[in-house]
Amino acid sequence: MRGPLTARLDDPARVWLDRALAEAADHPGTHGPISVWELRLAEAGRRCGTEHADAVRVLILHAARADTTALDRVYRQGTADERRAVLHALPHLVPGPDALHLVEDALRTNDTRLVAAALGPYGARHLAPHDWRHAVLKCLFTGVPVDEITDLARRAHGDTELARMLGAFADERTAAGRPVPGDLYRVVALTAPPPADGTGTDGKET
């Protein structure tokens, strides 16, 4: 991530990023009321541009070797942009489900960018089926493109309960005279169970 990112930064931003990453690597964890690298998270958009801020924050969190406690603190105290960066960083920093509560919190918000980030690789790996299905419905309800959902095809495949929930959602929208999101039909198609004869679409045994 760092190489392609630095190639797009101007010289002052590149110098700032190099210094911020060095500080984070040299002083991981918490020192005093707030870590120096946490201050750099807040500066990322101003220093490197909003279009690069997510990637910059993820790199700083990685350089600081932020553990679950630090990630939780940044998420709880940070701006929406910093919370989103924490969600993007989770698959790189937390191997197990210990930070799943942050994903669940993001899914309870109405911030569509947080919802999308929550359904990245970490959420795809650790969300329980029931919670994941409701997250898919929330994307459809709030207009988050389903392309943002990591591993959607894998998790939706053969999920008859998700298909039932999607059908009920479509019926409710139709009865209320409201349009059914086009993405819903794409997800319904993904829920199709494997053929009864045990062969895949390519004719090979599953």
Side-chain angles (χ1 to χ4, degrees):
M1 181 188 293
R2 183 175 179 179
L5 172 63
T6 55
R8 295 194 297 269
L9 297 176
D10 60 23
D11 288 341
R14 193 177 302 115
V15 170
W16 179 88
L17 177 59
D18 289 343
R19 184 172 65 249
L21 294 178
E23 289 173 339
D26 290 342
H27 303 286
T30 303
H31 298 271
I34 190 168
S35 301
V36 64
W37 56 265
E38 293 181 58
L39 297 174
R40 302 298 173 250
L41 293 176
E43 298 176 8
R46 177 166 55 87
R47 296 286 191 168
C48 298
T50 55
E51 69 273 28
H52 304 305
D54 275 357
V56 168
R57 291 186 177 109
V58 170
L59 285 173
I60 292 172
L61 289 166
H62 190 270
R65 302 187 293 282
D67 59 14
T68 304
T69 300
L71 292 169
D72 186 85
R73 183 177 63 254
V74 172
Y75 182 90
R76 300 296 178 189
Q77 298 177 359
T79 64
D81 289 340
E82 289 161 24
R83 292 182 177 189
R84 189 171 64 254
V86 168
L87 295 168
H88 286 314
L90 291 180
H92 306 288
L93 296 171
V94 185
D98 295 348
L100 188 57
H101 62 286
L102 300 180
V103 170
E104 294 167 343
D105 181 85
L107 290 173
R108 288 192 292 268
T109 72
N110 291 319
D111 186 325
T112 54
R113 294 195 300 169
L114 281 181
V115 172
L119 288 170
Y122 191 83
R125 189 181 307 148
H126 296 296
L127 275 172
H130 175 80
D131 296 329
W132 183 81
R133 293 180 188 119
H134 281 278
V136 173
L137 282 175
K138 180 152 190 173
C139 286
L140 294 170
F141 184 77
T142 60
V144 174
V146 297
D147 288 337
E148 299 279 355
I149 305 174
T150 298
D151 285 346
L152 174 63
R154 177 184 64 81
R155 291 206 60 165
H157 183 65
D159 191 335
T160 55
E161 176 59 15
L162 177 60
R164 183 197 66 76
M165 293 169 65
L166 293 170
F169 177 66
D171 290 344
E172 290 174 5
R173 300 277 291 194
T174 302
R178 303 179 67 184
V180 177
D183 273 354
L184 182 142
Y185 300 107
R186 291 178 56 199
V187 182
V188 169
L190 293 174
T191 66
D197 64 0
T199 59
T201 56
D202 58 359
K204 297 178 181 179
E205 291 189 356
T206 58

